[in-house]
Amino acid sequence: MSDGVATRVAAARKLDEVLHRGRSLKAALGATLPSLADPRDRALVEAMVLAALRQRVRYNAALDGWTPRPLGQRDGLLRALLLAGLAQLELGLPAHAALAATVDAARALGRAHQAGMVNALLRRAQRDGLPAADPAQAWPDWLARQIHADWPEQADAIFAASAQVAPLWLRVNRRWIGRDDYRALLREAGLDAASDPALADALRLDAALPVQQLPGFDSGLVSVQDGAAQAVADALAPPPGARVLDACAAPGGKAAHLAERDASLRITALDVDARRVRRMHETFARLRLEGLDVRAADAAEPDAWWDGVPFDAILIDAPCSATGIVRRQPDVLLHRRESDIAALGETQSKLLDALWPLLAPGGTLVYATCSILRAENTAQVEAFLARTPGATLAPLNDRFGQDTGAGHQRLPGEGGMDGFFCARLKKA
């Protein structure tokens, strides 16, 4: 099997797992990408899968309208291959090679008798283009209704932005190199990056590329982190020498950003998942950051891990619906259930209540999510303030998004960034 055929087969299998077998995109790709030796093949598989998931409503509409008879339940893998085939046409791959590899992939998947149909459908897509579709149709009804209720004037823009390809945001490690100097390295590599005056360590590339192609990635000069997530370090802004808790830290980007900015910070980074803690260790090692206290622990159960010494600053990047990052994790729209929101809300409340006593008087707590649902964000903060004596909302400005009255919300695509919520609380 040639490499071109193998990548199409891999993309089809991963799409089938996500679309028809309930597997998460992260798990599906994580189990396959490391097995592909060439980083270009890994990038292609990931790009096809993401594009097919983002545009599945359009692609499925085309397939359902063009196939001589409807594809059945037993044709899930074939549909997944066709979605990958349509995705690669829109990704701008050379059409002849893409079509040939996809047709050969149908044979490799035991669908030789349908290879002619695959060829005909992809050639029609190449010739006629694909029909338009309302991006809101990709959202489950209950969630689309909630978006309309929470953001009636912005709902259409949210749906549209969530179906687009996200830019690649980079965080320059100021411990080892300045942003302008790293930008020069990018230029030498033929990459043009934009900066944002509100984000001191950020650069943005309009097109994604394998991290191995980023100058100095392996030696820790740079990381991939969305601009909205990078702004969290400015919201928390711990003073030099502060004792800092990152309570839900994996994969470690925000704790690393704080450590890159100030080596004097005494940072404790927790995550309840031991596997994700191992990833944090790897991240900190790549970035050449030492001295962080990294632990596998449940932040909501401090009696099991806290030493009794208060923290000057606490970050709760809480588990959430991930509705602000659908463009990066389009399987959210397939797997999220309405009942999840109440369960996540209970977890968020528990974290706030459990960790507030660990904050020193005069300290700062930042509550953040990658959600755009008011129930997880503004309503969560309002309820916490109402039941917590001594907790007050500290002002942020519009660089963190629009003021909701109890925090700041950035919606997907605003400033090229992900949807993200951030509230800064002070302890009297």
Side-chain angles (χ1 to χ4, degrees), residues 373-414:
L373 301 182
R374 291 185 184 274
E376 298 182 275
N377 297 336
T378 304
Q380 188 68 257
V381 172
E382 288 174 340
F384 176 74
L385 291 171
R387 67 177 181 266
T388 309
T392 58
L393 190 67
L396 293 169
N397 57 33
D398 58 7
R399 58 181 286 217
F400 295 92
Q402 57 185 288
D403 188 350
T404 67
H408 279 68
Q409 178 76 63
R410 185 179 296 279
L411 297 177
E414 290 181 345

Side-chain angles (χ1 to χ4, degrees), residues 183-246:
R183 194 177 193 177
L185 292 181
L186 289 175
R187 286 199 197 98
E188 291 173 10
L191 300 170
D192 186 26
S195 60
D196 188 315
L199 299 170
D201 303 306
L203 291 169
R204 187 184 72 248
L205 298 173
D206 289 335
L209 74 165
V211 294
Q212 289 78 13
Q213 294 180 22
L214 295 170
F217 179 83
D218 289 338
S219 60
L221 297 189
V222 70
S223 298
V224 174
Q225 186 180 39
D226 189 78
Q230 292 189 46
V232 169
D234 295 316
L236 193 65
R243 194 166 193 250
V244 180
L245 172 66
D246 187 349

